[in-house]
Amino acid sequence: MSYLRTKLAAAALLAACTWPAAAHAADACKLDITGNDQMQYDKQALSVASSCKQITVTLHHAGKLPREAMGHNWVLVNAPDLAAVVNAGMGAGLAHDFVAPADVRVLAHTRIIGGGDSTSVTFPASLLKPGGSYSYLCTFPGHSALMHGTFKVN
Ligand code: CO
């Protein structure tokens, strides 16, 4: 009986140790970031493991304001392209989520959302190089000065 109990305890311990590690490996390719009505993201940096095949970023809007007034998106670019992508996006307007159609400098992007909404984008990790210098930003006009961060592949 005590042998069985020990064996069960060992099995439980093993499950407790291995399962979170496996879950963590999968979660490392799925990121969350939240915007608010104060024109801020809650994170200034995001990173993924180089072992990720697909990367999913989910953007949440924790505010109450509509997308027309305080819209947020999540746009991934090579760091030096940030200003040019913002400028091109401004001309595209809300109908295009403030992302210029066919802008090759945009590596991935979500749509623009308003308060209480969430949206995700999934893209292949092969778009990114380990050690590359990437930035993410919100392209809603006037937002990128506050709403930007660094994105890394570890
Ligand atoms: Co925004």
Coordinates of all heavy atoms in Angstrom, one line a residue, residues 99-106:
V99 N -3.1 51.0 -41.7 CA -2.0 50.3 -42.3 C -2.1 50.4 -43.8 O -3.1 49.9 -44.3 CB -2.0 48.8 -41.8 CG1 -0.9 48.0 -42.6 CG2 -1.8 48.7 -40.3
A100 N -1.1 50.9 -44.4 CA -1.2 51.1 -45.9 C -1.3 49.7 -46.5 O -0.5 48.8 -46.2 CB 0.1 51.8 -46.4
P101 N -2.3 49.5 -47.4 CA -2.4 48.2 -48.1 C -1.1 47.9 -48.8 O -0.4 48.7 -49.4 CB -3.5 48.5 -49.1 CG -4.3 49.6 -48.5 CD -3.3 50.5 -47.8
A102 N -0.7 46.6 -48.7 CA 0.5 46.1 -49.4 C 1.8 46.8 -48.9 O 2.8 46.8 -49.7 CB 0.4 46.1 -50.9
D103 N 1.8 47.3 -47.7 CA 3.1 47.9 -47.2 C 4.0 46.8 -46.8 O 3.8 46.1 -45.8 CB 2.8 48.8 -46.0 CG 4.0 49.6 -45.5 OD1 5.1 49.2 -45.9 OD2 3.8 50.6 -44.9
V104 N 5.1 46.5 -47.6 CA 5.9 45.4 -47.3 C 6.8 45.5 -46.0 O 7.3 44.6 -45.5 CB 6.9 45.1 -48.5 CG1 6.1 44.7 -49.7 CG2 7.8 46.3 -48.8
R105 N 6.8 46.8 -45.5 CA 7.5 47.0 -44.3 C 6.8 46.5 -43.1 O 7.3 46.3 -42.0 CB 7.8 48.5 -44.1 CG 8.7 49.1 -45.2 CD 8.7 50.5 -45.2 NE 7.4 51.1 -45.5 CZ 7.1 52.3 -45.9 NH1 8.1 53.1 -46.1 NH2 5.9 52.7 -46.1
V106 N 5.4 46.3 -43.2 CA 4.6 45.7 -42.2 C 4.8 44.2 -42.1 O 4.4 43.5 -43.1 CB 3.1 46.1 -42.3 CG1 2.3 45.4 -41.3 CG2 3.0 47.6 -42.2

